[in-house]
Amino acid sequence: MQKSSLLTLIELAQNDVDVAAKQLGFCIKLSNEAHQQLTLLTQYRSDYELRLQSNAQQGLNVIQYANFQSFIIKLDQAIEGQKKIISDAEYKVETAKRHWQEQEKKRLSYETIVKRQQQLAIKKEAKQDQKQTDERATHALFYKNLKD
């Protein structure tokens, strides 16, 4: 494969890596936000339960108590829903991470091919230099022997 073709492949692969990295970053951001939302919901539930206990000590009628309980149940449902969102977000992070790793692996394989080609070119050039040096030495020796 020509060097320019490989360099083009490396550039395209680098673009793919960049896109995959941005997608991974976006997924991580969403996952972090989902975790923060769960923390807020959990804290709000704890605060609300403390408020229920405080109001219960001061005396609650049946309707007020039922309203508190109903709202706590809704908070519990929201917390469970948020846990599902977190699970989905973490799955997306893992998927995006694998995709980024695959793109990076592809880019690195192209770079490896280019490095090998460069090494082969260097070896070939060194062989040619050695051959030319040997030929000069042979010619010099030949002409020296002719003079003698």
Side-chain angles (χ1 to χ4, degrees), residues 9-41:
L9 285 175
I10 290 173
E11 286 178 22
L12 292 172
Q14 183 60 54
N15 289 340
D16 291 343
V17 168
D18 293 344
V19 168
K22 285 178 186 174
Q23 182 63 33
L24 175 58
F26 180 73
C27 289
I28 290 171
K29 178 181 177 246
L30 290 180
S31 178
N32 289 341
E33 288 172 357
H35 280 282
Q36 290 172 353
Q37 184 67 27
L38 177 62
T39 300
L40 290 173
L41 283 170

Tab-separated table of all heavy atoms in Angstrom, residues 9-41:
chain	number	residue	atom	x	y	z
A	9	LEU	N	-5.553	6.760	5.636
A	9	LEU	CA	-6.263	5.840	6.532
A	9	LEU	C	-6.042	6.218	7.993
A	9	LEU	O	-6.971	6.153	8.812
A	9	LEU	CB	-5.811	4.402	6.284
A	9	LEU	CG	-6.344	3.733	5.025
A	9	LEU	CD1	-5.707	2.360	4.844
A	9	LEU	CD2	-7.855	3.619	5.074
A	10	ILE	N	-4.819	6.613	8.315
A	10	ILE	CA	-4.527	7.023	9.700
A	10	ILE	C	-5.331	8.269	10.056
A	10	ILE	O	-5.896	8.357	11.150
A	10	ILE	CB	-3.013	7.257	9.902
A	10	ILE	CG1	-2.276	5.922	9.851
A	10	ILE	CG2	-2.738	7.972	11.219
A	10	ILE	CD1	-0.765	6.040	9.863
A	11	GLU	N	-5.402	9.225	9.151
A	11	GLU	CA	-6.183	10.440	9.414
A	11	GLU	C	-7.660	10.099	9.617
A	11	GLU	O	-8.296	10.609	10.537
A	11	GLU	CB	-6.038	11.424	8.256
A	11	GLU	CG	-4.705	12.132	8.204
A	11	GLU	CD	-4.600	13.058	6.996
A	11	GLU	OE1	-5.646	13.464	6.446
A	11	GLU	OE2	-3.466	13.375	6.615
A	12	LEU	N	-8.192	9.246	8.746
A	12	LEU	CA	-9.591	8.840	8.890
A	12	LEU	C	-9.810	8.091	10.199
A	12	LEU	O	-10.818	8.311	10.897
A	12	LEU	CB	-10.019	7.975	7.703
A	12	LEU	CG	-10.104	8.685	6.350
A	12	LEU	CD1	-10.345	7.672	5.235
A	12	LEU	CD2	-11.187	9.748	6.364
A	13	ALA	N	-8.876	7.216	10.536
A	13	ALA	CA	-8.981	6.463	11.784
A	13	ALA	C	-8.904	7.407	12.987
A	13	ALA	O	-9.626	7.221	13.977
A	13	ALA	CB	-7.891	5.400	11.860
A	14	GLN	N	-8.044	8.430	12.901
A	14	GLN	CA	-7.929	9.402	13.991
A	14	GLN	C	-9.244	10.170	14.149
A	14	GLN	O	-9.686	10.427	15.271
A	14	GLN	CB	-6.774	10.377	13.753
A	14	GLN	CG	-6.563	11.362	14.889
A	14	GLN	CD	-6.241	10.687	16.207
A	14	GLN	OE1	-5.327	9.891	16.291
A	14	GLN	NE2	-6.988	11.014	17.249
A	15	ASN	N	-9.866	10.514	13.026
A	15	ASN	CA	-11.172	11.176	13.090
A	15	ASN	C	-12.201	10.274	13.764
A	15	ASN	O	-12.997	10.737	14.584
A	15	ASN	CB	-11.653	11.572	11.686
A	15	ASN	CG	-10.862	12.716	11.103
A	15	ASN	OD1	-10.214	13.471	11.814
A	15	ASN	ND2	-10.901	12.837	9.788
A	16	ASP	N	-12.177	8.982	13.420
A	16	ASP	CA	-13.087	8.026	14.056
A	16	ASP	C	-12.828	7.930	15.559
A	16	ASP	O	-13.767	7.848	16.353
A	16	ASP	CB	-12.957	6.643	13.415
A	16	ASP	CG	-13.478	6.601	11.984
A	16	ASP	OD1	-14.217	7.525	11.583
A	16	ASP	OD2	-13.147	5.631	11.272
A	17	VAL	N	-11.555	7.942	15.941
A	17	VAL	CA	-11.189	7.903	17.366
A	17	VAL	C	-11.712	9.144	18.073
A	17	VAL	O	-12.279	9.064	19.166
A	17	VAL	CB	-9.655	7.771	17.541
A	17	VAL	CG1	-9.244	8.017	18.985
A	17	VAL	CG2	-9.179	6.408	17.083
A	18	ASP	N	-11.541	10.301	17.432
A	18	ASP	CA	-12.007	11.559	18.030
A	18	ASP	C	-13.523	11.558	18.230
A	18	ASP	O	-14.019	11.956	19.288
A	18	ASP	CB	-11.593	12.747	17.171
A	18	ASP	CG	-10.087	12.968	17.141
A	18	ASP	OD1	-9.375	12.405	18.009
A	18	ASP	OD2	-9.618	13.692	16.234
A	19	VAL	N	-14.243	11.091	17.217
A	19	VAL	CA	-15.705	11.029	17.316
A	19	VAL	C	-16.109	10.057	18.433
A	19	VAL	O	-16.998	10.363	19.252
A	19	VAL	CB	-16.332	10.614	15.965
A	19	VAL	CG1	-17.802	10.268	16.110
A	19	VAL	CG2	-16.142	11.718	14.931
A	20	ALA	N	-15.451	8.912	18.477
A	20	ALA	CA	-15.765	7.913	19.512
A	20	ALA	C	-15.444	8.461	20.905
A	20	ALA	O	-16.191	8.210	21.863
A	20	ALA	CB	-15.002	6.618	19.252
A	21	ALA	N	-14.351	9.209	21.018
A	21	ALA	CA	-13.974	9.789	22.317
A	21	ALA	C	-15.009	10.823	22.764
A	21	ALA	O	-15.373	10.874	23.948
A	21	ALA	CB	-12.588	10.421	22.234
A	22	LYS	N	-15.485	11.632	21.824
A	22	LYS	CA	-16.515	12.621	22.172
A	22	LYS	C	-17.800	11.925	22.616
A	22	LYS	O	-18.438	12.348	23.581
A	22	LYS	CB	-16.798	13.534	20.980
A	22	LYS	CG	-15.705	14.547	20.737
A	22	LYS	CD	-15.993	15.398	19.517
A	22	LYS	CE	-14.802	16.293	19.211
A	22	LYS	NZ	-14.982	17.043	17.958
A	23	GLN	N	-18.153	10.857	21.920
A	23	GLN	CA	-19.361	10.102	22.282
A	23	GLN	C	-19.197	9.475	23.665
A	23	GLN	O	-20.122	9.499	24.480
A	23	GLN	CB	-19.656	9.023	21.234
A	23	GLN	CG	-20.917	8.240	21.502
A	23	GLN	CD	-22.173	9.094	21.461
A	23	GLN	OE1	-22.268	10.052	20.710
A	23	GLN	NE2	-23.147	8.755	22.287
A	24	LEU	N	-18.012	8.942	23.935
A	24	LEU	CA	-17.745	8.366	25.257
A	24	LEU	C	-17.851	9.442	26.332
A	24	LEU	O	-18.464	9.221	27.380
A	24	LEU	CB	-16.356	7.708	25.280
A	24	LEU	CG	-15.870	7.162	26.621
A	24	LEU	CD1	-16.839	6.122	27.175
A	24	LEU	CD2	-14.471	6.576	26.472
A	25	GLY	N	-17.274	10.587	26.072
A	25	GLY	CA	-17.358	11.691	27.038
A	25	GLY	C	-18.792	12.105	27.305
A	25	GLY	O	-19.181	12.359	28.457
A	26	PHE	N	-19.588	12.156	26.243
A	26	PHE	CA	-20.996	12.506	26.384
A	26	PHE	C	-21.732	11.467	27.231
A	26	PHE	O	-22.512	11.823	28.124
A	26	PHE	CB	-21.642	12.632	24.998
A	26	PHE	CG	-23.092	12.989	25.037
A	26	PHE	CD1	-23.503	14.262	25.371
A	26	PHE	CD2	-24.057	12.031	24.738
A	26	PHE	CE1	-24.856	14.591	25.408
A	26	PHE	CE2	-25.409	12.347	24.774
A	26	PHE	CZ	-25.808	13.629	25.111
A	27	CYS	N	-21.471	10.202	26.978
A	27	CYS	CA	-22.114	9.129	27.747
A	27	CYS	C	-21.710	9.176	29.220
A	27	CYS	O	-22.544	8.967	30.105
A	27	CYS	CB	-21.782	7.763	27.143
A	27	CYS	SG	-22.580	7.458	25.554
A	28	ILE	N	-20.436	9.449	29.473
A	28	ILE	CA	-19.960	9.564	30.862
A	28	ILE	C	-20.647	10.734	31.552
A	28	ILE	O	-21.064	10.626	32.710
A	28	ILE	CB	-18.425	9.701	30.897
A	28	ILE	CG1	-17.777	8.375	30.489
A	28	ILE	CG2	-17.942	10.160	32.264
A	28	ILE	CD1	-16.272	8.446	30.286
A	29	LYS	N	-20.784	11.846	30.835
A	29	LYS	CA	-21.453	13.024	31.402
A	29	LYS	C	-22.895	12.682	31.781
A	29	LYS	O	-23.357	13.026	32.882
A	29	LYS	CB	-21.414	14.171	30.389
A	29	LYS	CG	-22.116	15.421	30.841
A	29	LYS	CD	-22.052	16.501	29.752
A	29	LYS	CE	-22.812	17.718	30.200
A	29	LYS	NZ	-23.988	17.978	29.403
A	30	LEU	N	-23.605	12.004	30.871
A	30	LEU	CA	-24.993	11.622	31.167
A	30	LEU	C	-25.076	10.670	32.352
A	30	LEU	O	-25.981	10.784	33.191
A	30	LEU	CB	-25.641	10.987	29.941
A	30	LEU	CG	-25.934	11.916	28.763
A	30	LEU	CD1	-26.572	11.136	27.621
A	30	LEU	CD2	-26.831	13.068	29.180
A	31	SER	N	-24.129	9.746	32.434
A	31	SER	CA	-24.106	8.811	33.556
A	31	SER	C	-23.874	9.554	34.875
A	31	SER	O	-24.547	9.287	35.880
A	31	SER	CB	-23.017	7.755	33.332
A	31	SER	OG	-22.949	6.880	34.433
A	32	ASN	N	-22.925	10.486	34.870
A	32	ASN	CA	-22.653	11.276	36.076
A	32	ASN	C	-23.871	12.086	36.496
A	32	ASN	O	-24.201	12.169	37.686
A	32	ASN	CB	-21.452	12.195	35.861
A	32	ASN	CG	-20.152	11.428	35.790
A	32	ASN	OD1	-20.055	10.290	36.228
A	32	ASN	ND2	-19.139	12.051	35.215
A	33	GLU	N	-24.551	12.671	35.507
A	33	GLU	CA	-25.750	13.451	35.820
A	33	GLU	C	-26.845	12.552	36.399
A	33	GLU	O	-27.561	12.957	37.316
A	33	GLU	CB	-26.250	14.168	34.564
A	33	GLU	CG	-25.357	15.320	34.142
A	33	GLU	CD	-25.741	15.923	32.800
A	33	GLU	OE1	-26.680	15.409	32.134
A	33	GLU	OE2	-25.094	16.913	32.403
A	34	ALA	N	-26.965	11.344	35.872
A	34	ALA	CA	-27.970	10.407	36.380
A	34	ALA	C	-27.656	10.027	37.832
A	34	ALA	O	-28.563	9.926	38.669
A	34	ALA	CB	-28.030	9.160	35.492
A	35	HIS	N	-26.371	9.816	38.128
A	35	HIS	CA	-25.975	9.512	39.507
A	35	HIS	C	-26.274	10.692	40.436
A	35	HIS	O	-26.742	10.495	41.564
A	35	HIS	CB	-24.486	9.160	39.572
A	35	HIS	CG	-24.175	7.752	39.166
A	35	HIS	ND1	-24.382	6.677	39.986
A	35	HIS	CD2	-23.684	7.249	38.011
A	35	HIS	CE1	-24.025	5.563	39.367
A	35	HIS	NE2	-23.603	5.890	38.149
A	36	GLN	N	-26.009	11.893	39.973
A	36	GLN	CA	-26.302	13.081	40.783
A	36	GLN	C	-27.798	13.203	41.052
A	36	GLN	O	-28.215	13.542	42.172
A	36	GLN	CB	-25.785	14.344	40.089
A	36	GLN	CG	-24.282	14.452	40.063
A	36	GLN	CD	-23.792	15.610	39.201
A	36	GLN	OE1	-24.566	16.264	38.511
A	36	GLN	NE2	-22.491	15.855	39.238
A	37	GLN	N	-28.590	12.917	40.026
A	37	GLN	CA	-30.045	12.977	40.186
A	37	GLN	C	-30.514	11.954	41.212
A	37	GLN	O	-31.380	12.250	42.037
A	37	GLN	CB	-30.732	12.744	38.835
A	37	GLN	CG	-32.224	12.884	38.871
A	37	GLN	CD	-32.688	14.308	39.141
A	37	GLN	OE1	-31.998	15.268	38.838
A	37	GLN	NE2	-33.853	14.443	39.741
A	38	LEU	N	-29.926	10.754	41.179
A	38	LEU	CA	-30.282	9.735	42.173
A	38	LEU	C	-29.915	10.212	43.573
A	38	LEU	O	-30.693	10.031	44.517
A	38	LEU	CB	-29.596	8.405	41.863
A	38	LEU	CG	-29.839	7.289	42.877
A	38	LEU	CD1	-31.323	6.932	42.947
A	38	LEU	CD2	-29.006	6.064	42.542
A	39	THR	N	-28.761	10.802	43.708
A	39	THR	CA	-28.332	11.319	45.013
A	39	THR	C	-29.326	12.370	45.519
A	39	THR	O	-29.705	12.352	46.700
A	39	THR	CB	-26.914	11.923	44.914
A	39	THR	OG1	-26.017	10.900	44.479
A	39	THR	CG2	-26.444	12.485	46.238
A	40	LEU	N	-29.749	13.260	44.628
A	40	LEU	CA	-30.724	14.283	45.025
A	40	LEU	C	-32.059	13.667	45.434
A	40	LEU	O	-32.645	14.062	46.449
A	40	LEU	CB	-30.943	15.279	43.879
A	40	LEU	CG	-29.780	16.217	43.557
A	40	LEU	CD1	-30.075	17.026	42.304
A	40	LEU	CD2	-29.505	17.140	44.736
A	41	LEU	N	-32.521	12.709	44.658
A	41	LEU	CA	-33.794	12.048	44.993
A	41	LEU	C	-33.704	11.317	46.331
A	41	LEU	O	-34.624	11.400	47.158
A	41	LEU	CB	-34.186	11.061	43.891
A	41	LEU	CG	-34.775	11.649	42.615
A	41	LEU	CD1	-34.875	10.588	41.537
A	41	LEU	CD2	-36.147	12.261	42.884
